[in-house]
Every structure is written in C-alpha cells, then in structure tokens.
Amino acid sequence: MHYLERELTELIQVDKNLFDYLDAHLFDGIWFWNLEQPEDEWLSPGFWRTLGYDPEEKTHHSANWQAVIHPEDLEVARRDLELHCAFDNHPYDQIVRFTHKNGDTVWVRCRGVAIRDSQGNAVRMLGIHTEISRLKQIEDRYKKIISTMDRVYADLRIALEESEQLFESMPDAVLQVDHGGNIIKANTQASLLFGYTTKELIEMTVEDLVPESSRAAHFNYRTAYQKSPEVREMGGDAVNLMAQTRSGKVLYVDIRLSPIQTKYGSNTIAVIRDVTERKKLQQELERQKQDEKKLFEMSITDSLTGLYNRGYFMELAERAFKQAGRYNHGLCVMMIDIDDFKIINDNFGHAEGDRALTQIGSLLKSSIRETDVVGRIGGEEFAIYLPEASLDQGVILADKILFNIEDARSNSLVKEGAGACPSVSIGLAVKQSDDDSLSELLYRADQQLYKAKANGKARVVY
C-alpha cells in the first residue's frame, strides 16, 4: 500500500462517520496529495478507470494525471491550488478536461480541501473527482436550443398566426390559447411532450395539462394575466412550474408567454420547454453542496460534544491572536478541565464520562458570548477564547460558567455519582504586549488551571 493511501486510511479510521460518509457519497475517485512532496499523490482506482486505464499501470505520482489533463486546465488548477493554500476561504473547485485512453475528452469536476498543520500551512489536499461529461453534453444541447429559440422568436413577432411552418419548426412545445384557456393550436412538439395527438389537444384547455392539485391556482393566474397580457418568462431556477402528461407523469417546465392579436380576438402563445433534466441536475448540484458542507463540518467538529475540535479551534485562535496583535485589541483565553474526570470514568464507565463531557460542552456553549469561541481540545479539557476582551471581562465570563454549572448541579435530582453534573476548574490569561505566539498565552492559562486544581478545584484562577 502506498504510504499516502495508508495515511488517509488511518485518518478515516479515527472518525467512523467520516468513513461512512465518504463510502456513501464518493463519485468517480478520491485523491490525497502530499503538498510537502508534491510529486506524491494517491488516486483511487476509479479515477483511472474513468479515463480507460488499468489502475495497476499507474504509479501514485502527480505527474501521471498532469500528463493527461488539458494544458489550459492544468494552469487553472495550479492557480486555484495556490489561492486555496494561501486563503482557506478560496474554494478549490474547477471543471477540467482529461484525455481518455482512446483519445476522447472526459469532463471532470475536481474538488478538494486543504488539510493544514497547526500553523495554518497546507500540507495535504483531500479531494474527489466527478465525471460530468454527460452534463456537459446536456448543457451544450440546451445552448443550441436556446440559440435556435432566439432566432425563432424574432420571426415569431412578424406573423405567427399565418406562419404554420414557423409554428411547427419550433424546437419546443407551442400552444396557442384563446381568452377562455382553450387550446386552439398545438405543434408536433407539444404532442410529443404531452402524449396527446394535436387533435386531442385542441379539444382541451390548458388547465388539463396542469397537475390536478394546481389547476384552480393556474386558472386564477391565467385569468389575472389576461387582464394585463405581456411578454412574460415563467419558471427559471427559482420557480418550479409543473405540467402533466397523458400518462400522469409530472414534468418541470419553463414557459414563455406572448400575447398576440388575431382576427378572432386576443390569444396567447405559450412556448413550453421541458427542463426536468436541468432541474434534476440543479437538485443534484445542491445535494453535492450540502454534502460538502456536511463533510467540512465533520472535519472541524468534535463528534461527541458538537464543539469545534482541537485542530479547528487552534486554527481560529491563531487567527484571533494575530488579529489582536495587528490591531492592538484585547484577547482573553481560558483553559477548562472537568474535575475528577478519571474517577467518573473509572467508577461509572466511559458512557457516563461521555455524558459528562456532553453536558459540560452544552453548558459552556450556552454561557459564552456570540463572539466567543469554545472547543474541546483534549480528553476532558476545553478552551475558550474571547476576542477583544479584557481580563475583567474574562473573569466575568468564567464566573458565569461556574455559576451555570453550579446551578445545573443544584437543580439536578442527582447530586453525586452517575448522572450528576461535574464541576470544572478554569485557568484564565490575557494577551500581553510581549507575547510572541499563541502558545505562550495558552501556556499561562494552563498554568493558572493547574493552580485552580491545586487550590481546591471548582474555581477560576487568573
């Protein structure tokens, strides 16, 4: 096994939820890149199979995929990587072209996230590949249709009623509807879309082509439109318009309404485009965004307490420390440790220990200000940093935490033993002008925590 594959496997083994998530949602390959030795990159076999290669033919070196990516896209990927490594809020997400073994172009969406060390430096990249060649084909097809529609619309205004050939040549379904909602003309595409013959369509109303649950509302909308007819685009990404076929299948559609005057009175031309595939694609992309959000949250969150984990807390605290130094703002840090936690685990089991950790984590989160940040940084150890806070403000918050915990203890039916709320000790320190690093500030807070433990526990020392 390649060492990068082994390292990733060990990382996933730490968090079972992460493994389950990746196992359920990976698409066409996962990759793991050593940014400290950029020639080393592990790619899962699915990526090479997507490109028509036997994975056994390929070594785990970044040069292999760089040899089959389009040169222009390689430059884009390199630029995005540099920006993502420099600014963690810049996404590493691009659509690139690879050359299949048979010479075809394969479109792939490549996404990834940097894994950073305690200094915030990107040392690894973890990402996934998703083949979207089919989606690109659909996109190209819709661009061609829209281009055709634009050309047709210009001619439609000239003489739609007298131009049967133009009416039939429309690439989308077209209905001509009178003031009462009756269909008086339908093209072949409308027949194909809805499953009725054109003869059947001209004996129907437009409400007959709407799902039954929406027909009353559609009647009201149509009546209101006819009082003030105008060219109107309906549907789009933000609105779901639905039509129903003869078989009962419900379609998502976009509709363009254009009023026309005929010798029979005011009519409306409705151009109806089936966008069901596009809607499904949008829903899939939205689901992917939600999946990525969940993956990110899992990577920064302690799974037991729901608080930030040590890595992400330290990353945020480092930013706050640098910002406090840059703008000469205050910064207060407190280290918090559950008293006698080993006794709880030894006497009542780890399940009770987990319950105590969860309870304290919840009490800490409910006690802090909106601008404060709390994280679980060790077994029974928590930390909080208070941006733009003085020592006095830190003491006030620490006293509030102790009060809330004591209040929970006194109001609990269980005062001692399993189920009881444990007490905590708190060490508090404030940033000094001569502090060169966050570690110095955390060290002082840790020393105060030791004093709190030594002086009887369940107290704050600063």
Side-chain angles (χ1 to χ4, degrees):
M1 179 185 292
H2 192 269
Y3 79 93
L4 283 176
E5 181 181 2
R6 181 169 56 252
E7 181 177 332
L8 177 58
T9 302
E10 293 171 354
L11 178 63
I12 294 175
Q13 288 175 346
V14 174
D15 189 342
K16 181 63 165 58
N17 291 329
L18 178 59
F19 175 82
D20 291 342
Y21 178 84
L22 292 174
D23 186 55
H25 293 84
L26 283 182
F27 293 95
D28 299 306
I30 186 171
W31 50 275
F32 195 50
W33 196 356
N34 184 353
L35 299 182
E36 297 173 306
Q37 295 179 236
E39 67 275 15
D40 288 348
E41 181 175 5
W42 175 79
L43 294 94
S44 63
F47 172 74
W48 291 114
R49 293 193 187 101
T50 299
L51 299 183
Y53 292 94
D54 182 353
E56 298 298 326
E57 300 174 0
K58 298 295 180 180
T59 60
H60 295 287
H61 294 91
S62 56
N64 285 327
W65 66 263
Q66 292 175 8
V68 293
I69 191 174
H70 193 284
E72 293 178 359
D73 297 342
L74 177 59
E75 291 305 314
V76 172
R78 284 173 172 167
R79 184 176 66 250
D80 280 354
L81 177 63
E82 292 176 359
L83 291 172
H84 180 66
C85 291
F87 309 98
D88 57 6
N89 62 346
H90 183 87
Y92 184 78
D93 188 346
Q94 59 269 314
I95 294 175
V96 298
R97 292 160 290 178
F98 286 97
T99 301
H100 193 277
K101 189 175 182 179
N102 64 11
D104 291 343
T105 296
V106 179
W107 290 86
V108 175
R109 183 181 181 190
C110 180
R111 292 162 286 170
V113 61
I115 299 174
R116 301 175 183 273
D117 59 20
S118 60
Q119 303 301 316
N121 299 315
V123 295
R124 299 286 191 274
M125 283 288 293
L126 171 63
I128 60 175
H129 290 121
T130 306
E131 183 188 7
I132 60 169
S133 299
R134 170 68 175 162
L135 301 183
K136 293 294 291 185
Q137 292 171 0
I138 294 173
E139 179 184 352
D140 291 341
R141 185 178 70 184
Y142 276 114
K143 286 181 179 179
K144 292 177 182 177
I145 291 174
I146 291 171
S147 177
T148 302
M149 289 292 295
D150 289 341
R151 293 194 301 269
V152 173
Y153 286 149
D155 297 333
L156 183 61
R157 295 184 320 200
I158 300 174
L160 180 59
E161 184 184 19
E162 304 300 331
S163 181
E164 292 290 342
Q165 183 178 0
L166 177 61
F167 192 82
E168 275 298 317
S169 71
M170 296 287 285
D172 290 320
V174 183
L175 301 176
Q176 185 171 337
V177 183
D178 68 12
H179 192 76
N182 300 299
I183 301 172
I184 62 175
K185 189 183 291 186
N187 70 353
T188 302
Q189 290 299 324
S191 177
L192 294 173
L193 179 63
F194 293 107
Y196 297 97
T197 65
T198 53
K199 183 178 179 180
E200 288 173 325
L201 285 170
I202 62 177
E203 295 175 352
M204 301 168 65
T205 69
V206 286
E207 274 74 43
D208 293 327
L209 302 178
V210 175
E212 187 173 356
S213 60
S214 303
R215 288 175 185 172
H218 185 274
F219 175 84
N220 293 333
Y221 292 144
R222 179 175 58 78
T223 302
Y225 170 80
Q226 288 169 338
K227 292 178 181 179
S228 181
E230 61 181 356
V231 175
R232 183 180 299 177
E233 303 279 355
M234 303 172 62
D237 295 342
V239 179
N240 291 328
L241 293 182
M242 291 177 287
Q244 183 170 295
T245 68
R246 182 173 196 156
S247 66
K249 180 181 179 181
V250 175
L251 306 174
Y252 290 109
V253 294
D254 284 350
I255 301 175
R256 177 187 172 92
L257 300 179
S258 301
I260 62 170
Q261 291 297 322
T262 74
K263 59 185 178 181
Y264 305 108
S266 177
N267 283 188
T268 301
I269 297 297
V271 180
I272 305 164
R273 177 176 298 163
D274 180 5
V275 295
T276 305
E277 288 189 37
R278 190 186 78 196
K279 288 288 185 180
K280 289 181 179 178
L281 173 60
Q282 290 171 345
Q283 292 168 358
E284 174 63 20
L285 292 176
E286 181 59 30
R287 187 183 67 79
Q288 289 182 21
K289 290 180 182 178
Q290 293 301 318
D291 289 345
E292 291 167 2
K293 181 179 179 182
K294 291 179 183 178
L295 180 59
F296 174 71
E297 290 175 351
M298 289 171 59
S299 71
I300 66 174
T301 304
D302 172 54
S303 59
L304 178 63
T305 63
L307 303 178
Y308 288 140
N309 58 27
R310 179 184 181 87
Y312 195 62
F313 176 86
M314 290 301 185
E315 181 180 333
L316 294 178
E318 186 67 40
R319 294 183 200 168
F321 180 85
K322 292 178 180 177
Q323 187 173 21
R326 184 180 300 115
Y327 298 107
N328 197 28
H329 291 164
L331 178 65
C332 195
V333 171
M334 59 179 70
M335 304 292 282
I336 304 165
D337 193 86
I338 297 178
D339 296 329
D340 302 318
F341 185 74
K342 186 176 185 302
I343 295 175
I344 295 174
N345 268 341
D346 291 347
N347 291 347
F348 307 111
H350 291 287
E352 175 62 19
D354 289 347
R355 186 206 61 79
L357 287 167
T358 302
Q359 182 178 18
I360 293 300
S362 178
L363 287 168
L364 292 176
K365 191 171 183 179
S366 64
S367 299
I368 62 176
R369 306 175 303 174
E370 186 175 344
T371 55
D372 301 334
V373 177
V374 59
R376 180 186 175 199
I377 62 171
E380 69 272 25
E381 193 169 12
F382 302 83
I384 300 174
Y385 74 78
L386 294 71
E388 301 185 30
S390 64
L391 181 61
D392 290 341
Q393 291 172 308
V395 172
I396 291 173
L397 178 60
D399 288 339
K400 178 182 178 182
I401 291 171
L402 293 176
F403 175 83
N404 289 344
I405 291 176
E406 184 56 36
D407 185 59
R409 288 167 58 84
S410 62
N411 289 326
S412 174
L413 296 176
V414 181
K415 305 299 182 183
E416 298 292 339
C421 179
S423 63
V424 301
S425 298
I426 303 175
L428 185 64
V430 67
K431 184 181 182 302
Q432 303 296 332
S433 59
D434 57 350
D435 282 337
D436 293 325
S437 66
L438 174 65
S439 60
E440 295 180 41
L441 178 57
L442 294 175
Y443 176 79
R444 291 202 307 276
D446 216 25
Q447 293 303 304
Q448 301 299 340
L449 174 61
Y450 291 145
K451 292 179 182 178
K453 290 284 190 181
N455 291 338
K457 305 174 184 177
R459 66 191 64 229
V460 57
V461 173
Y462 51 90

